[in-house]
Amino acid sequence: MADDLHAGDAIASRAEKLQKIEAMGLDPWGQRFDAHTSVADILARDCLSFDDGPTEKVRAAGRIVLRRDQGKVHFLQVRDMTGTIQVMIGQKQVGDIGWQLAQNFDLGDIIGVDGIFGRTRKGEPTIRAEGLTFLTKSLEPHPEKFHGMHDVEYRLRHRYLDLVYTPETLQRTKDRITIVRTIRNFLDARGFMEVESPTLHSIAGGAAARPFVTHHNTLDIDLFLRIALELHLKRLLVGGLERVYELGRVFRNEGISHKHNPEFTMLELYQAYGDYHSMMDLTEGLLVACVDAIGGGRVRPWDDLSVDFNPPWQRARYGDLFREHVGVAIDDKTGVFEAAITQKLPTQGKEHDVLVQELFEHLVEEKLSGPVFVYDYPAALCPLTKRKRDNPELAERFELYIHGMELANAYTELNDPITQEATFRRQLSGMKAEDSMATMDDDFIRAQRHGMPPAGGLGIGIDRLVMLLTNTPTIRDVILFPLMRPV
C-alpha cells in the first residue's frame, strides 16, 4: 500500500520531504485558502483547448490521488469532495520555487492550485498550474490507484482512506446525507417538530431487545443505552406536541450481521389523531421523496432484482399472507403447531403467537418483494398497539417489507393506560431480570393516565433505508464507522 517504496522507506521519504518543504520557508500544514471553486463546478464550465487561445483562470484545492512525472511536466489527479480533476504542472508556468515544491509532492498531500482551465490535446479537462500552495503533508503512505482498496476489512478500519479512494463509498455517504435531509424537510413541512430525548435510560423500554448497561458514578445507579425512542416521544404527545419526531441513535446488545449493527439510527415519529393507515400514507410519501431526492428514478436496482417505488404500494393482511404461504390460518393452533414441526422449528414452551411469528419469518418474509405494507398483526405480538375494535385478537400494526427486508414498523398507538398497564404486566410475568422491558415503566403509565391523544406512530431504520436505496448489500457500508473488533 506504499507509493513506490516499502512502507517504512515511504514514511522516511515523506518525513524528509516535510523537512525540505519547511526549509523552503513554507508551512507544510497549510493556511487559509479562500476563494477556491469546487472541482465539480470547474468541470461544469465550458473550456477551450489550450492550443486554441485564452481560457478561464480557476482556483482549486484537494488531495493528490495520482501522479505521473514526465520530465519537465508533472500530471496530478486532484480530488475534493465533489470530484477529481487533472492538474498539469510545468516548470516554466510555476517557476523555480513552484517546481521545487512539486518535487516534494506525494500521494495524499493536499494542495491548492491557481491556473488556467482548458483541455489538453487528448481532450482531458485540465488545470494548467500557474501557482501552487501547499496545504497539508501526508506522512503515511496512501493506496496506489492501480492497487486500490479491495480488502474489505482494511476499508472499514480506514474509512478516511476509503472515502478518498472508493468513489462508491463517498457517493453512498452523500446519498445518506441527502436522505436524512429529505426526511427532515418532508416532516418539517407537514408540521412535525424534531426533538431530542435522553440516550441514557433508567429503564430499558420501548422494544424487546438486550440493552447495553453502564453506570453513573455520581448517582451510583446503573443506566441503559436506549433501545428505542418510543416512550419518551409518547410522553411529549401527552404534553401537547401533537406531531413529533426524532432521528436518533439506538443501541441493542445483540448480534452483528449484514443487516444488523449494535448501534444504528432510527426515525421515530408520532402524529396525534392519526392511525396506522395515516402512517402508511406518510411512509409511502416520505420514502418516495427520498427516492426522488437522490435521483436515478423510482425503479431502482436491488442486488440482481429491482424495486418499483411508484405509488400506490401493495397492502396485504398478515393473516392472508400467512394462510397463502404457510397453508393454515393464524388462529388454527393445531395447524400452526404442525407447520412448525414440519419446518423443524423449536416448539418447546413457546406460545401460539410466537410460533405464528416464527413461521411468518421463516416462510413468508422472503416472499415479500414489495414494497408491501403487511398489516393487522396478532395482538399478542404488539403490547404497545391498539386492538382492532371488531377483532381484538388483531392489532392495528403494519410493517413495510421490500425483498424480504423489514424497513418500517408502525402502529395505531395504544393510549388506554388501563389496558397498557395490564399488557405490560402480562408481558413481564416470567421474564428474567436482565431481559429488556423486564421492569415496569410506571412513569410512562402515569403520563398516559393524564391523557394521551389517539395517535399513529412510525419507526424506520435509516441504515436499512440507505442500504436499499443505494443498492448496498451490507449495513457496514452505509455506516461510516461500523462496530468492529479491536485489533
Side-chain angles (χ1 to χ4, degrees):
M1 303 293 285
D3 296 343
D4 298 306
L5 308 171
H6 293 298
D9 293 336
I11 292 173
S13 173
R14 287 166 181 262
E16 182 180 344
K17 290 177 181 178
L18 173 72
Q19 294 174 355
K20 290 179 178 179
I21 293 168
E22 290 176 327
M24 294 172 65
L26 302 176
D27 181 356
W29 308 115
Q31 300 292 334
R32 182 170 173 170
F33 193 71
D34 288 338
H36 63 279
T37 304
S38 74
V39 167
D41 285 346
I42 293 173
L43 290 174
R45 301 178 184 185
D46 293 329
C47 63
L48 301 173
S49 167
F50 291 119
D51 294 335
D52 290 340
T55 54
E56 185 177 4
K57 288 184 176 291
V58 295
R59 171 173 256 216
R63 189 183 296 275
I64 300 171
V65 295
L66 181 67
R67 57 174 298 180
R68 293 182 287 115
D69 297 346
Q70 296 182 355
K72 296 297 184 180
V73 178
H74 295 342
F75 287 93
L76 309 177
Q77 293 287 333
V78 174
R79 180 173 297 162
D80 70 4
M81 67 179 294
T82 69
T84 304
I85 194 167
Q86 179 169 272
V87 174
M88 180 171 61
I89 302 173
Q91 184 173 4
K92 178 181 178 180
Q93 287 76 27
V94 298
D96 292 340
I97 296 298
W99 185 249
Q100 182 183 350
L101 177 62
Q103 309 315 302
N104 293 290
F105 287 167
D106 286 301
L107 294 187
D109 289 352
I110 301 174
I111 62 170
V113 181
D114 289 279
I116 302 297
F117 178 54
R119 293 186 182 273
T120 64
R121 291 177 180 176
K122 293 183 178 181
E124 178 76 15
T126 300
I127 300 174
R128 188 172 66 191
E130 295 181 335
L132 298 171
T133 304
F134 203 82
L135 296 175
T136 299
K137 186 65 185 171
S138 172
L139 297 180
E140 288 286 329
H142 278 240
E144 293 180 6
K145 178 179 176 61
F146 297 106
H147 290 100
M149 297 186 65
H150 302 300
D151 186 304
V152 173
E153 182 166 338
Y154 188 90
R155 289 197 301 105
L156 295 175
R157 293 188 184 277
H158 302 82
R159 185 66 91 189
Y160 39 88
L161 293 178
D162 189 26
L163 287 164
V164 173
Y165 293 100
T166 310
E168 296 83 3
T169 299
L170 179 59
Q171 187 57 51
R172 275 194 298 266
T173 300
K174 292 179 180 179
D175 286 342
R176 181 181 180 122
I177 292 167
T178 298
I179 289 166
V180 171
R181 183 186 300 121
T182 300
I183 289 170
R184 285 193 164 101
N185 291 342
F186 184 93
L187 295 175
D188 292 347
R190 285 155 181 78
F192 285 84
M193 292 178 283
E194 184 176 9
V195 298
E196 296 175 311
S197 63
T199 300
L200 294 174
H201 291 183
S202 58
I203 296 172
R210 184 176 295 277
F212 288 93
V213 184
T214 187
H215 187 80
H216 191 287
N217 293 332
T218 301
L219 297 179
D220 193 25
I221 58 172
D222 285 340
L223 295 169
F224 306 95
L225 293 179
R226 63 187 179 190
I227 59 175
L229 312 175
E230 181 166 351
L231 300 185
H232 282 89
L233 296 185
K234 286 183 176 178
R235 286 172 168 89
L236 298 180
L237 284 180
V238 175
L241 299 185
E242 295 176 354
R243 295 189 177 205
V244 62
Y245 75 95
E246 182 171 6
L247 277 159
R249 294 291 222 187
V250 294
F251 308 85
R252 298 184 182 180
N253 195 357
E254 298 172 346
I256 298 175
S257 74
H258 72 285
K259 293 195 294 186
H260 296 277
N261 193 67
E263 177 184 3
F264 59 98
T265 303
M266 281 289 295
L267 164 70
E268 287 202 29
L269 64 86
Y270 295 90
Q271 177 181 332
Y273 317 119
D275 66 2
Y276 70 145
H277 291 295
S278 308
M279 296 298 100
M280 287 187 205
D281 296 337
L282 184 71
T283 302
E284 188 174 274
L286 175 60
L287 268 58
V288 168
C290 291
V291 169
D292 290 345
I294 63 174
R298 292 184 178 179
V299 179
R300 307 184 68 84
W302 174 245
D303 195 14
D304 57 351
L305 305 169
S306 64
V307 185
D308 187 346
F309 286 99
N310 283 296
W313 296 351
Q314 180 188 359
R315 303 185 182 195
R317 290 185 175 84
Y318 183 104
D320 293 341
L321 291 169
F322 191 89
R323 181 185 289 275
E324 178 184 352
H325 296 291
V326 181
V328 299
I330 58 175
D331 58 357
D332 181 352
K333 293 189 176 182
T334 300
V336 166
F337 182 81
E338 290 175 349
I341 295 294
T342 300
Q343 296 299 319
K344 299 181 180 179
L345 298 177
T347 59
Q348 183 68 33
K350 291 187 177 179
E351 297 286 340
H352 168 74
D353 291 297
V354 173
L355 291 178
V356 167
Q357 179 60 12
E358 290 184 356
L359 283 167
F360 190 89
E361 293 170 353
H362 190 67
L363 294 175
V364 183
E365 287 185 358
E366 64 181 16
K367 309 290 197 318
L368 303 176
S369 57
V372 54
F373 292 110
V374 179
Y375 66 99
D376 288 355
Y377 275 63
L381 302 174
C382 316
L384 298 169
T385 311
K386 185 171 286 188
R387 276 59 176 147
K388 293 182 70 68
R389 290 180 65 86
D390 59 352
N391 185 356
E393 296 300 312
L394 298 178
E396 294 190 354
R397 169 189 180 183
F398 78 74
E399 291 188 353
L400 173 63
Y401 283 90
I402 300 178
H403 286 306
M405 183 163 63
E406 178 213 334
L407 200 64
N409 187 20
Y411 307 150
T412 300
E413 300 298 334
L414 180 59
N415 65 327
D416 169 3
I418 299 171
T419 302
Q420 182 67 88
E421 183 173 4
T423 303
F424 272 162
R425 294 198 183 282
R426 185 165 56 252
Q427 183 189 43
L428 298 179
S429 62
M431 271 193 171
K432 297 178 182 179
E434 65 269 20
D435 287 339
S436 71
M437 299 181 70
T439 303
M440 173 73 75
D441 190 338
D442 292 315
D443 181 70
F444 173 66
I445 299 298
R446 185 180 305 112
Q448 274 199 328
R449 291 180 67 87
H450 283 85
M452 181 181 121
L458 169 67
I460 297 177
I462 299 301
D463 307 302
R464 287 189 180 183
L465 175 61
V466 177
M467 284 175 63
L468 183 73
L469 298 190
T470 61
N471 193 20
T472 304
T474 173
I475 199 170
R476 297 183 305 177
D477 279 335
V478 299
I479 297 174
L480 282 173
F481 302 104
L483 182 66
M484 300 187 71
R485 190 185 301 277
V487 294

